Amino acid sequence: MRILHSSDWHLGRRLYGFHLLEDQAYVLEQFTRMAADTKPDLIVLAGDLYDIANPPAESIRLMNDVINRLVLDLKKRVLVISGNHDSADRIGFASRLLEESGLLMVGDLSRIGSPLRLKDEHGTVAFHPLPFVESGAIEAYLDRVAPGREPVLYGAAMGALLDHIRRGFRKKERNVLIAHLAVVGAAPTESEREIGATGIMDASLFYDFDYVALGHLHRPQSIGDRIRYSGSLLRYSESEAGQQKSASLVTIDGAGAVTIDALPFSPRRELHVLEGSYFDLRERIPEGVNTGDYIFFRFTESVPEPDADVHLRKRYPNFMNLRWAQTSVGSQDLPLIQEERMSDIELFRSFYEYTMGEQIDEEQNGLLVAAFDRLSQSEDA
Amino acid sequence: MRILHSSDWHLGRRLYGFHLLEDQAYVLEQFTRMAADTKPDLIVLAGDLYDIANPPAESIRLMNDVINRLVLDLKKRVLVISGNHDSADRIGFASRLLEESGLLMVGDLSRIGSPLRLKDEHGTVAFHPLPFVESGAIEAYLDRVAPGREPVLYGAAMGALLDHIRRGFRKKERNVLIAHLAVVGAAPTESEREIGATGIMDASLFYDFDYVALGHLHRPQSIGDRIRYSGSLLRYSESEAGQQKSASLVTIDGAGAVTIDALPFSPRRELHVLEGSYFDLRERIPEGVNTGDYIFFRFTESVPEPDADVHLRKRYPNFMNLRWAQTSVGSQDLPLIQEERMSDIELFRSFYEYTMGEQIDEEQNGLLVAAFDRLSQSEDA
């Protein structure tokens, strides 16, 4: 059985004001070619297809194009789960109708107990989709299938849910889990949303699965030899500079033994962090850097140079941000922003994006607008 | 051939702060029962399924439930076009995959020239879906199928598009058009969005179609004997008080002659406009009015009574708005709003909703927030 495993496409994402949709389409073109070349039995997308619950129309259109190519043109089966960035209801719309066509989009726990079963020459592999859900949804599910439990912490609830899945294992079947969560020992980057109260799972929770296809962390990585983050489609933060992004081609043999191949993506633009003297970097383009790449500058000078951004922009049209050396956290640590053109709310959004490494979501934005309203009212009074 | 025709569900709509989702679910329950009882060959939904392009998750969930009941439980075919309130890309997502299952969701002009064809004992009926599209999309389409045209006004472009559809008519087939637009001579209400530059079509444009299933106007009505607005699911504005909403059951015989039955909906709450003296209406509940209904009050007194809303709310918990008699347009004409609890932006939204009879959309909201930002900055300076 061969699985092409990817995740964290974050379609619609912006980074420091740069729309990445064209970059995403560029790499997804490679992904569909991989799907054609490697002939997987199943394509697995382990969550965070979109960057926000309410993605812009153009990112839905891109997703639609990719799905049409994979399912209709290449006749591939695709299994998708929703991640913490996705809206479970949007991902799950018409899912019962879509399954017949080869596309299984899972946004809730309704597929626990009825995994997708595919056959190869060695027998059956059961694919168990476990989308990202809040603690309450797990508790509600467990209350229904195993009433009388006490509410427990997220990790314990997840453990009970995995036990429940395991109890449905059939003899001689191999089992694959598809989930969107954080595992202890895995290395995060700046661009995953804090999972906060949902906690971090211990890898031991996943015993007995032949393969665990994970999404959530953006660095492609294996935990042991059966648990893997395929990693994100692109470098979505400064901390991901230098990371080779890839899809994972997973082969499971008749005994359940797993082989994993990382199939590298070539981004439309590289992302670099360049450290050195402002005056040096302004004059001398470092080796291996294309001036069209996305660049973060870390300058050794501690006194900000006026109009540095204007000079740099001429040579590096896509540079994202610059920072000056600092002795303590100060205002020079703020992102490069065109303050005079921005409203207070935009300034705050920009600051948030800079400090959190992610965009503000819809709910947060609502709170923000309300807060600024109140502020401006109290200032007027 | 029997068609159950509905439109303008506007799932997710709010009216004067009241969420109507429960009301919508209540009437959609009746709609699915109609679909079971009347055994149509096709269910047609002529646009504005959702109230906004980015509908809230709970309205997507309701739509999903209804679609599952119609397509999976009742085994009905459903044809949906997007309206001006819908996002064409959201409606069209995975449409090529969904069609096999019996659900055809059309958000663009890709089905011009390849209508859905269904057979009955008399032969074939071709269903031509024409979703709401901007003028530019029609021009682009016509440029492709009939290059060398000059750009024309919307009505003329629509005429050319309909001619193009007609040229694809096959001998002996009956033809049904499903569209979302305004037709001359039809009676609008306050709650359709202004279609503005897109213009109003003349009914003569639709010659040669055996039936034209329209959406957009909220009053159920026929224009001639072959063109029909099924009307909206609920009364979505004050001007719709007293309107009997319905679905249209359309029978087309072998010769293409059409019979239309209006199947009435019973809303969860009636919507009334009560005119009279404040002191009378406060004391005496008019016949036929349930105090739980949605009510608009028009008082004969011209001097507003303090705390009228507080007194009325005790007796009529769901009253929506009140107005005092007026000699000229003045502040007493404003909707009932809890000013002290609302921000400037909320006040404006409320005013807009009152005057336009519809909610502010996402783009307008962005402009609004930006405008208030600028205002508060200039006030601070």
Side-chain angles (χ1 to χ4, degrees):
Chain A
M1 184 73 58
R2 199 151 30 181
I3 307 157
L4 184 59
H5 166 198
S6 185
S7 75
D8 297 271
W9 290 2
H10 288 272
L11 300 189
R13 188 165 191 111
R14 292 193 305 160
L15 193 56
Y16 292 95
F18 288 87
H19 287 274
L20 298 179
L21 199 78
E22 217 180 314
D23 301 73
Q24 292 169 328
Y26 185 90
V27 173
L28 285 174
E29 180 66 36
Q30 297 166 33
F31 183 75
T32 52
R33 242 180 294 134
M34 283 174 193
D37 295 344
T38 61
K39 300 187 174 35
D41 301 285
L42 181 68
I43 296 166
V44 159
L45 306 178
D48 285 357
L49 268 61
Y50 298 110
D51 197 51
I52 51 171
N54 253 338
E58 60 268 24
S59 50
I60 293 177
R61 213 177 309 142
L62 175 57
M63 187 71 200
N64 192 46
D65 291 345
V66 174
I67 289 292
N68 280 345
R69 301 237 344 236
L70 296 176
V71 178
L72 289 169
D73 302 345
L74 299 176
K75 312 286 178 207
K76 293 290 158 205
R77 275 179 182 279
V78 179
L79 192 164
V80 175
I81 61 167
S82 56
N84 54 316
H85 279 246
D86 300 310
S87 155
D89 287 300
R90 283 177 172 77
I91 293 291
F93 181 77
S95 61
R96 283 177 58 200
L97 277 70
L98 281 169
E99 188 174 349
E100 281 284 290
S101 72
L103 175 63
L104 179 53
M105 299 193 76
V106 183
D108 57 25
L109 298 177
S110 61
R111 295 302 298 243
I112 303 294
S114 55
L116 172 69
R117 291 193 158 87
L118 298 181
K119 279 190 189 348
D120 64 9
E121 65 273 29
H122 308 292
T124 301
V125 179
F127 292 90
H128 304 267
L130 177 55
F132 176 83
V133 285
E134 301 289 346
S135 189
I138 299 184
E139 293 287 345
Y141 180 83
L142 291 171
D143 283 351
R144 201 156 51 73
V145 296
R149 295 173 56 262
E150 295 292 311
V152 289
L153 293 175
Y154 190 79
M158 182 65 85
L161 187 62
L162 289 170
D163 283 341
H164 184 73
I165 292 175
R166 258 179 221 110
R167 277 196 290 277
F169 279 5
R170 291 186 187 169
K171 253 190 178 170
K172 293 194 185 165
E173 280 187 0
R174 289 154 290 166
N175 290 282
V176 173
L177 181 73
I178 300 98
H180 189 90
L181 39 74
V183 171
V184 171
T189 62
E190 279 172 15
S191 68
E192 299 97 10
R193 183 176 292 175
E194 267 298 322
I195 58 160
T198 57
I200 298 182
M201 306 299 119
D202 192 278
S204 65
L205 278 178
F206 304 109
Y207 75 91
D208 246 16
F209 286 97
D210 296 288
Y211 180 63
V212 181
L214 293 179
H216 191 48
L217 301 188
H218 287 189
R219 182 193 302 274
Q221 57 195 302
S222 297
I223 299 101
D225 51 7
R226 302 170 299 104
I227 303 175
R228 176 145 182 104
Y229 287 98
S230 60
S232 57
L233 195 66
L234 294 175
R235 298 165 191 169
Y236 288 126
S237 69
E238 189 180 338
S239 74
E240 291 167 65
Q243 271 184 27
Q244 175 64 61
K245 300 296 187 180
S246 56
S248 300
L249 183 67
V250 183
T251 310
I252 307 179
D253 74 10
V258 166
T259 325
I260 299 168
D261 258 330
L263 309 179
F265 294 136
S266 300
R268 176 166 161 263
R269 295 201 170 105
E270 293 291 335
L271 186 149
H272 307 280
V273 176
L274 301 185
E275 295 188 74
S277 150
Y278 166 63
F279 289 101
D280 277 5
L281 286 169
R282 197 182 123 180
E283 300 303 327
R284 182 188 55 83
I285 296 162
E287 225 171 301
V289 171
N290 184 313
T291 51
D293 289 343
Y294 297 123
I295 298 170
F296 292 83
F297 288 102
R298 301 285 158 263
F299 295 126
T300 46
E301 290 90 342
S302 61
V303 180
E305 194 65 28
D307 298 325
D309 57 325
V310 177
H311 291 291
L312 288 168
R313 187 73 70 205
K314 281 185 197 149
R315 178 153 284 191
Y316 304 95
N318 301 310
F319 93 87
M320 287 193 159
N321 193 16
L322 62 82
R323 239 187 265 204
W324 303 95
Q326 51 179 110
T327 42
S328 65
V329 175
S331 62
Q332 74 271 36
D333 195 30
L334 285 173
L336 176 82
I337 41 180
Q338 300 179 292
E339 301 193 24
E340 69 283 359
R341 292 208 216 147
M342 294 171 102
S343 70
D344 289 349
I345 290 186
E346 285 169 332
L347 275 170
F348 185 91
R349 279 200 200 105
S350 167
F351 172 74
Y352 180 93
E353 190 173 83
Y354 170 73
T355 51
M356 304 296 284
E358 65 173 28
Q359 285 179 263
I360 221 155
D361 70 23
E362 208 190 338
E363 187 188 347
Q364 292 167 326
N365 191 48
L367 292 171
L368 182 60
V369 170
F372 272 88
D373 278 354
R374 278 197 301 277
L375 198 63
S376 89
Q377 284 178 327
S378 62
E379 279 172 355
D380 294 350
Chain B
M1 184 74 57
R2 199 152 29 182
I3 307 157
L4 184 59
H5 166 198
S6 184
S7 75
D8 296 271
W9 290 2
H10 288 273
L11 301 189
R13 188 164 191 113
R14 292 192 306 161
L15 193 57
Y16 291 94
F18 287 87
H19 287 273
L20 299 178
L21 200 79
E22 216 179 316
D23 301 73
Q24 292 169 327
Y26 184 90
V27 173
L28 285 174
E29 181 66 35
Q30 297 166 33
F31 183 76
T32 52
R33 242 180 294 133
M34 283 175 194
D37 294 345
T38 62
K39 300 186 174 36
D41 300 286
L42 181 67
I43 295 167
V44 159
L45 306 177
D48 286 357
L49 268 61
Y50 297 109
D51 197 51
I52 50 169
N54 254 337
E58 59 269 25
S59 49
I60 293 178
R61 214 177 309 142
L62 175 56
M63 187 70 199
N64 193 45
D65 290 345
V66 174
I67 288 294
N68 280 344
R69 301 240 340 237
L70 296 177
V71 179
L72 288 170
D73 302 346
L74 299 176
K75 312 286 179 208
K76 294 290 158 205
R77 275 178 181 279
V78 179
L79 191 164
V80 175
I81 61 166
S82 56
N84 55 315
H85 279 247
D86 299 311
S87 155
D89 287 300
R90 283 178 172 78
I91 293 292
F93 181 78
S95 60
R96 285 176 59 200
L97 277 70
L98 281 169
E99 189 175 349
E100 281 285 291
S101 72
L103 175 63
L104 179 53
M105 299 194 75
V106 183
D108 58 27
L109 299 177
S110 61
R111 296 302 298 244
I112 304 293
S114 55
L116 172 70
R117 291 194 158 88
L118 298 181
K119 281 191 190 341
D120 64 9
E121 66 273 27
H122 309 291
T124 301
V125 179
F127 292 90
H128 303 267
L130 177 55
F132 176 84
V133 285
E134 301 289 346
S135 190
I138 299 185
E139 292 286 347
Y141 179 82
L142 290 171
D143 283 350
R144 201 155 52 73
V145 296
R149 295 171 57 262
E150 296 291 311
V152 289
L153 292 176
Y154 190 79
M158 182 65 84
L161 187 62
L162 290 169
D163 283 340
H164 184 75
I165 293 175
R166 257 178 222 109
R167 277 197 290 279
F169 278 7
R170 291 186 187 168
K171 255 191 177 167
K172 292 192 184 168
E173 281 187 1
R174 289 154 289 167
N175 290 283
V176 173
L177 181 73
I178 301 97
H180 189 90
L181 39 74
V183 171
V184 172
T189 61
E190 278 173 13
S191 68
E192 299 97 10
R193 182 175 294 175
E194 267 300 322
I195 59 160
T198 58
I200 299 182
M201 306 299 118
D202 192 278
S204 66
L205 276 179
F206 303 108
Y207 75 90
D208 247 17
F209 287 96
D210 295 288
Y211 181 63
V212 181
L214 293 179
H216 190 48
L217 301 188
H218 287 188
R219 182 194 301 276
Q221 57 194 305
S222 297
I223 300 103
D225 50 8
R226 301 170 300 105
I227 303 175
R228 173 137 184 112
Y229 286 99
S230 61
S232 57
L233 195 66
L234 294 175
R235 298 167 192 168
Y236 287 127
S237 68
E238 188 180 338
S239 73
E240 291 166 65
Q243 272 185 26
Q244 174 64 63
K245 302 296 188 181
S246 57
S248 300
L249 183 67
V250 182
T251 311
I252 307 180
D253 73 10
V258 166
T259 326
I260 300 169
D261 259 330
L263 309 179
F265 294 135
S266 302
R268 176 166 162 261
R269 297 202 167 105
E270 294 291 335
L271 186 148
H272 308 280
V273 177
L274 301 185
E275 296 188 74
S277 150
Y278 166 62
F279 288 101
D280 277 4
L281 286 169
R282 197 182 124 182
E283 300 302 326
R284 182 187 56 82
I285 296 161
E287 226 172 298
V289 171
N290 184 313
T291 50
D293 290 344
Y294 297 124
I295 297 170
F296 292 84
F297 288 103
R298 302 283 158 266
F299 296 126
T300 46
E301 290 91 343
S302 63
V303 180
E305 195 64 29
D307 297 326
D309 59 324
V310 177
H311 290 293
L312 288 168
R313 188 72 70 204
K314 280 185 199 149
R315 178 153 285 193
Y316 303 97
N318 300 310
F319 93 88
M320 287 195 159
N321 194 16
L322 62 83
R323 239 187 266 203
W324 303 96
Q326 50 178 112
T327 43
S328 65
V329 175
S331 62
Q332 75 271 37
D333 195 31
L334 285 173
L336 176 81
I337 41 180
Q338 300 178 292
E339 301 193 24
E340 69 283 357
R341 290 208 216 146
M342 294 171 104
S343 71
D344 290 348
I345 291 186
E346 285 169 333
L347 274 171
F348 185 92
R349 278 199 201 108
S350 167
F351 173 73
Y352 180 94
E353 188 171 85
Y354 170 74
T355 52
M356 304 296 283
E358 64 172 30
Q359 285 180 264
I360 221 156
D361 71 23
E362 208 189 339
E363 187 189 347
Q364 292 167 327
N365 191 48
L367 292 170
L368 182 61
V369 171
F372 272 87
D373 277 356
R374 278 197 301 278
L375 198 65
S376 89
Q377 283 178 328
S378 61
E379 279 173 355
D380 294 350

